[in-house]
Amino acid sequence: MSKAGLAAVRGMNDVLPAEIGAWQHLERITRELFAAYGYEELRVPMVEQTTLFKRSIGEFTDIVEKEMFTFTEADGESLTLRPEATAGIARAAITNGLLRGARLKLWTSGPMFRHERPQAGRYRQFTQIDVEALGFAGPDIDIEMIAMTARLWRQLGITRVQLKLNSLGTPDARKAYREHLVTYFTQHAAALDADSQRRLGGNPLRILDSKNPAMQAVVSGAPLLTEHLDAESRAHFDALCATLAAMNIPYVIDPRLVRGLDYYSRTVFEWVTDALGSQNAICSGGRYDGLIDQLGGEHTPAIGFAMGVERVVALLRQGGQEFPRPAPHVYVVASGDRAMQVGLALVESLRDQHAALRFEMNQGGGNFKAQFRRADRSGAPLALVLGDNELERGVAALKPLRQEGGQQEVPLAELAARIPAILTTLNG
Ligand code: HAM
């Protein structure tokens, strides 16, 4: 707890300037990548009606049962901080009339909220970059989306990742499978832990996801969904796998990958890493062909994924890449009231003429020595020095900071023309 008696809320983190470079790098790369694949950005609210999440993510999921930040408005309406973005995007597509047979390729990013037990890589406020393609039945879009994520890891220099794939089939096939599972787990009820016993009634598929070592034997003996797929889902999945193999995108089929949200059908996938401890999923998603009609929109097959930004950033930082703040091109040292006054106007005019150059002007005073220390620390290759003495003669000094010698006096009116050339010689 800080001196002021304030503390950040548990599971919610500040992103400090020293860390922001990696975030901005990821944001820049994804923004360009998504645009190159034809995706457009949309932004949806952080708060939605609670019923939206209950109807989409599912009543018997961990998220809806125990992880939502929910509050009640004065008029009794129940609202929830979004635990994920897919439901809000589906809602936005319906309520804004964006569908009508259209095909939409969308992405969004921002904070999500889940009241989970915080630990490294698992937070109560975390950030997702989320991509959705609405109106595509696949499997071509499934493949392209996975190829896009594989390209993203390459662009980011992330190598310790593995793609896991599964198919959940159609809701009908899953219903039949669910009965097989209930029969099997009921026969083995004594071997189930309390959590799984509870799930047996509501969401038996989630039992397959159990991390409890004592349950691994009973889980591994359970019937597999992949053995109960309908013919069309099987063909969809086979085409997906065959094309990924032909494109040299490695994957493993994980028949126990069931995902923690109920809206999925057919393809589900997860990129996992062995470099982050137990929170190993960095990017996950799948098809949700039934969600939009279930929410009251027209039938729209769809697929999407979201990556956990904190986890991807942790991988980037682990890789030893540095993302320093870009240094100014020119640090402006101005000593004396008059020099300060003239300097402020002068630097504004230099900024007007060279929008691509970064001029950082010393602020907060200080003698020349102190200002040069700051200039050095800024990493700028060049200092622009304004003193009363120089101003009287209508000149300023340009002083290289990373090389010996070469200080020169330049008439104020010529600064704008001379600075770019001097910077070029310094960089060369
Ligand atoms: P999800 O698997 O719940 O899927 O979350 C996606 C990613 O968000 C995870 O792979 C993980 O990297 C990150 N994540 C989830 N929970 C936390 C947490 N508590 N702290 C830090 N990171 C976390 C979805 O949210 C789906 N909406 C994805 C999707 C989009 N499916 C279709 N379209």
Side-chain angles (χ1 to χ4, degrees), residues 84 86 114 116 121 123 128 132 259 263-264 281 284 304-305 308:
E84 57 106 53
T86 312
R114 295 184 194 175
E116 300 196 69
Y123 309 108
Q128 282 186 347
E132 312 287 354
R259 309 276 300 123
Y263 48 61
Y264 291 111
S284 22
F305 67 83

Side-chain angles (χ1 to χ4, degrees), residues 113-249:
F113 302 85
R114 295 184 194 175
H115 203 277
E116 300 196 69
R117 195 170 52 78
Q119 59 185 82
R122 192 208 270 167
Y123 309 108
R124 290 184 174 173
Q125 176 178 327
F126 60 98
T127 312
Q128 282 186 347
I129 294 178
D130 178 286
V131 175
E132 312 287 354
L134 311 182
F136 300 86
D140 47 354
I141 191 82
D142 309 23
I143 296 158
E144 189 190 65
M145 203 172 251
I146 288 172
M148 181 170 80
T149 51
R151 180 176 299 281
L152 175 63
W153 314 134
R154 285 199 299 279
Q155 290 186 348
L156 292 170
I158 289 177
T159 51
R160 283 173 70 175
V161 284
Q162 185 189 47
L163 173 63
K164 287 185 179 181
L165 286 182
N166 193 19
S167 175
L168 300 184
T170 59
D172 280 347
R174 209 157 55 248
K175 211 178 287 165
Y177 170 66
R178 191 177 179 279
E179 276 158 30
H180 288 293
L181 262 193
V182 171
T183 309
Y184 171 81
F185 282 125
T186 309
Q187 281 162 0
H188 297 81
L192 300 182
D193 59 17
D195 237 11
S196 299
Q197 303 236 1
R198 195 175 44 80
R199 283 177 172 153
L200 189 53
N203 197 350
L205 265 74
R206 291 288 287 160
I207 300 176
L208 299 175
D209 232 12
S210 168
K211 304 281 186 292
N212 183 349
M215 290 212 6
Q216 290 319 299
V218 67
V219 165
S220 60
L224 292 177
L225 179 48
T226 28
E227 292 159 0
H228 295 269
L229 282 187
D230 54 290
E232 268 186 57
S233 297
R234 162 66 42 207
H236 188 115
F237 193 54
D238 288 347
L240 168 68
C241 294
T243 312
L244 288 177
M247 290 166 75
N248 287 320
I249 299 177

